[in-house]
Amino acid sequence: MYAQYVARRFGMMLLVIVLAVSINFLLPRLMPGDPVEAQLNQLLATGGGGGDISAMVEAYRARFGLDQPLIAQYLSYWKAVFSLDLGVSLAAYPERVSHAILAGLPWTLGLLGFATAVSFVIGTWLGGLLGWPRTPRVTRAFGTSLILFSSVPYFLIGMVLLYLFAIVFRWFPAGGGMPFGQSVGFNWQTLTAIAWHGTLPAASIILAEIGAWALGMRGMMVSVLGEDYITLAEAKGLKPRRIFRWYGLRNALLPQLTKLAMALGHIVSGAILVEVIFSYPGIGFRLYQAIQANDYFVIQGIVLLLSVSIAIAMFILDLAYPLIDPRITTGRD
């Protein structure tokens, strides 16, 4: 039964990836305008070139394979995907797209991974407490005040933190991922510098996300309170703390895990506005620059990475579900 379940989910993941790659190929080509011509016009406007623009456009289109029929481009794109060759950047030629992504990916994974994990743990636990009838009033009041942050966009929280703690008090740097001139290395100095620069961006995301996690968990906790297994556990005389953890929190956790998988999939895209506000060198900031420059090879590469990561995250989550609730594979209610 479990093998069939895994095979179905794996096939679904492959189908999602095929659709994502196909849409990712078609969408940029359906956009109005010619990105090569736009880049060359921008280059000429800044005095970086000269000559016949039409001839240059044709030469660059041939260089990037854009003069081929659409089906030939599609097949070449699949071949490039399998070989992990995402092409070259139009705006930063001859930088390869893969290099641009790999340069920003560790920064985003570190920042968003840490912020998502912290906000998920705190928010889920807090939401469980808020939905539990025996929670003290002090805890409820504190949790409710944190939930208020969920109604504020994370980039707005980031701007407030930037103003207070980077400009007014000057406790943290206003931008960047490292002090200017310091090279990245595997040492304590680098770790402390990265943590120091990432504190405000991470805090803005955590404060904004805790409330969302808490609200979702609170609703699920309230919905499981009337279930028979809760009543049975109380009738057996189990301690309230055990009932809360093993019967309430565990059964209310499934929707939170689905949401977590989606959040983990979106980690690679980064919190774009936060990275822009703090000039954080992550992949979200790189995507913002690519969109501004109409650099659609980089946009394609980042969107493809995002789509595949979400599909893989959902597949891993589907494999983890039966470990939490065996009824998913057996089909029992």
Side-chain angles (χ1 to χ4, degrees):
M1 183 68 73
Y2 186 72
Q4 294 178 359
Y5 173 81
V6 172
R8 287 198 304 270
R9 297 303 177 184
F10 185 73
M12 184 65 70
M13 182 191 70
L14 292 181
L15 178 61
V16 170
I17 291 177
V18 169
L19 291 175
V21 171
S22 301
I23 294 173
N24 192 39
F25 168 81
L26 286 174
L27 280 182
R29 286 160 177 79
L30 297 177
M31 293 170 59
D34 188 323
V36 174
E37 186 175 350
Q39 288 296 329
L40 290 177
N41 282 330
Q42 185 176 354
L43 182 64
L44 292 175
T46 56
D52 185 2
I53 183 68
S54 300
M56 293 174 65
V57 168
E58 292 304 320
Y60 272 81
R61 285 177 62 83
R63 170 66 181 82
F64 293 117
L66 299 175
D67 59 339
Q68 299 295 319
L70 194 62
I71 185 65
Q73 292 184 42
Y74 182 67
L75 295 176
S76 298
Y77 185 67
W78 268 108
K79 182 180 178 181
V81 169
F82 279 118
S83 60
L84 300 180
D85 180 10
L86 302 177
V88 295
S89 168
L90 287 172
Y93 183 82
E95 181 188 29
R96 303 204 68 80
V97 173
S98 56
H99 291 170
I101 294 176
L102 290 177
L105 197 57
W107 294 97
T108 296
L109 289 179
L111 173 66
L112 272 296
F114 174 78
T116 302
V118 171
S119 60
F120 171 77
V121 172
I122 297 178
T124 299
W125 185 261
L126 184 63
L129 290 175
L130 292 177
W132 192 245
R134 299 184 181 182
T135 300
R137 290 184 178 179
V138 176
T139 305
R140 289 179 181 275
F142 176 71
T144 304
S145 62
L146 277 180
I147 288 179
L148 291 178
F149 283 105
S150 65
S151 59
V152 183
Y154 62 84
F155 60 88
L156 189 58
I157 297 177
M159 293 174 68
V160 174
L161 295 179
L162 178 66
Y163 175 74
L164 289 178
F165 299 107
I167 297 176
V168 177
F169 299 120
R170 299 187 178 183
W171 291 348
F172 296 97
M178 291 278 291
F180 182 75
Q182 181 176 335
S183 57
V184 178
F186 293 99
N187 51 56
W188 179 250
Q189 186 181 10
T190 298
L191 291 177
T192 55
I194 291 175
W196 188 43
H197 281 71
T199 298
L200 291 183
S204 62
I205 298 171
I206 291 172
L207 287 175
E209 293 294 327
I210 281 180
W213 290 113
L215 283 175
M217 188 62 187
R218 179 185 177 279
M220 290 306 304
M221 179 61 81
V222 171
S223 68
V224 303
L225 287 178
E227 296 292 338
D228 294 339
Y229 47 80
I230 296 287
T231 306
L232 179 61
E234 292 174 342
K236 290 168 65 177
L238 298 180
K239 293 181 179 180
R241 182 174 296 180
R242 184 176 180 185
I243 298 175
F244 170 73
R245 291 180 178 176
W246 291 99
Y247 292 85
L249 203 62
R250 184 178 178 183
N251 286 285
L253 199 58
L254 278 176
Q256 292 287 96
L257 292 178
T258 304
K259 188 178 175 183
L260 176 63
M262 297 298 294
L264 292 176
H266 284 286
I267 276 180
V268 294
S269 67
I272 296 176
L273 292 179
V274 166
E275 292 187 0
V276 172
I277 290 172
F278 291 98
S279 301
Y280 197 78
I283 200 170
F285 187 52
R286 189 68 182 87
L287 177 61
Y288 168 76
Q289 292 177 316
I291 293 173
Q292 276 196 320
N294 205 21
D295 192 351
Y296 76 52
F297 285 127
V298 174
I299 298 173
Q300 265 188 327
I302 294 176
V303 173
L304 176 64
L305 180 66
L306 171 64
S307 305
V308 173
S309 62
I310 291 177
I312 294 176
M314 293 302 297
F315 175 65
I316 295 174
L317 179 68
D318 285 337
L319 297 185
Y321 263 160
L323 302 178
I324 302 172
D325 188 352
R327 293 175 300 177
I328 293 176
T329 53
T330 60
R332 290 186 289 108
D333 294 331

